Amino acid sequence: MALILNIDTATTTGSVSLSRDGQVIQTLVNEKQQDHAATMIVFVQQILKEQGIVPAQLDAVAVSAGPGSYTGLRVGVATAKGLCYAWSKPLLAISTLQMMAQGLISEVKNEQALYCPMLDARRQEVFMGLYDARLQEIMPPQAMILEPNSLDEQLAAHQIYFFGDGSPKWQVMISSHKNAIFAEYVISAAHMAPLSAQAYEKKLFVDLAYFSPFYLKPFYSPQKP
């Protein structure tokens, strides 16, 4: 009976979700990225109060660990770490791309297709991964510079759902491909629930002192002249 607090701030939409044994109890969402640092703790307090839960009853805290926005990931991980330190709870790190795939798979329920979450990494680059309907990894999470033939082999063999805020620029390149489906998707910490429950059962906890987000590529900040 694992009671887990799930936190996602990897993109412009941030959310907190409370789940028990992989089933969502309540979710709160913030759509302004600049407010994530202020709203996540407020959301945590609100959910616990509304559900009549005290921190001691929680079994773990899970965080969407990347890839995604550098600033957003730092906010989410710092928040989750702080709560774990304060409450003496273990931390679970869930891949943002896998979380997204889990969310769309549960909505679409197409067991023959593949699922390709894409997060915008600026210019023609995206953070992406490729999964089957059982969340088995077909292509590992990576930063990919998109070209029209980037996924020719996979598209020739499978119907693929593309989604996430990086998918529109891919759609411009291959919108006419018969096996490419572009799906509407709203990211949510609620989609972490089955994954965090599985991770808790397997005791896949990360070290609070040393864990850092999965950025996939180094942060670059141009120097001012």
Side-chain angles (χ1 to χ4, degrees):
M1 297 289 290
L3 185 62
I4 299 175
L5 189 69
N6 304 281
I7 299 171
D8 169 51
T9 57
T11 67
T12 55
T13 300
S15 52
V16 174
S17 184
L18 183 67
S19 62
R20 178 179 280 111
D21 293 338
Q23 300 299 313
V24 175
I25 298 172
Q26 183 180 357
T27 303
L28 295 176
V29 178
N30 170 60
E31 296 181 348
K32 296 181 179 180
Q33 187 173 31
Q34 65 269 26
D35 295 339
H36 286 350
T39 56
M40 291 302 104
I41 290 297
V42 174
F43 281 177
V44 169
Q45 294 172 334
Q46 182 178 340
I47 283 181
L48 295 184
K49 181 178 180 180
E50 291 180 1
Q51 297 301 321
I53 300 294
V54 297
Q57 293 175 278
L58 293 171
D59 292 295
V61 176
V63 66
S64 174
S69 159
Y70 292 103
T71 300
L73 291 173
R74 287 195 293 270
V75 168
V77 169
T79 300
K81 279 187 172 185
L83 295 175
C84 288
Y85 275 122
W87 296 341
S88 298
K89 300 297 179 182
L91 178 62
L92 300 163
I94 307 299
S95 162
T96 305
L97 295 174
Q98 191 177 42
M99 175 193 78
M100 292 171 64
Q102 169 65 43
L104 194 69
I105 288 169
S106 64
E107 294 175 11
V108 172
K109 295 181 173 63
N110 184 342
E111 296 187 358
Q112 307 305 315
L114 299 182
Y115 296 81
C116 186
M118 288 182 165
L119 291 172
D120 189 6
R122 299 184 180 179
R123 298 186 178 88
Q124 291 305 107
E125 191 171 20
V126 294
F127 298 125
M128 58 80 68
L130 190 62
Y131 304 86
D132 66 17
R134 294 178 297 172
L135 270 185
Q136 299 298 308
E137 193 176 273
I138 306 301
M139 292 179 66
Q142 58 193 276
M144 174 182 285
I145 297 175
L146 295 173
E147 298 178 356
N149 62 351
S150 292
L151 294 168
D152 276 359
E153 181 179 346
Q154 292 78 11
L155 279 166
H158 298 277
Q159 196 173 59
I160 303 178
Y161 287 86
F162 297 98
F163 55 103
D165 63 14
S167 63
K169 53 190 174 185
W170 178 235
Q171 185 173 11
V172 171
M173 295 184 183
I174 62 150
S175 59
S176 62
H177 199 292
K178 64 177 183 179
N179 278 341
I181 303 172
F182 290 87
E184 293 292 329
Y185 172 78
V186 178
I187 193 168
S188 172
H191 300 154
M192 297 171 62
L195 302 177
S196 59
Q198 294 168 17
Y200 180 82
E201 184 178 351
K202 296 176 182 178
K203 300 188 183 304
L204 300 178
F205 309 128
V206 296
D207 189 293
L208 287 183
Y210 297 104
F211 176 74
S212 61
F214 306 137
Y215 294 120
L216 275 188
K217 67 176 187 176
F219 177 74
Y220 171 74
S221 179
Q223 293 182 348
K224 295 181 180 180

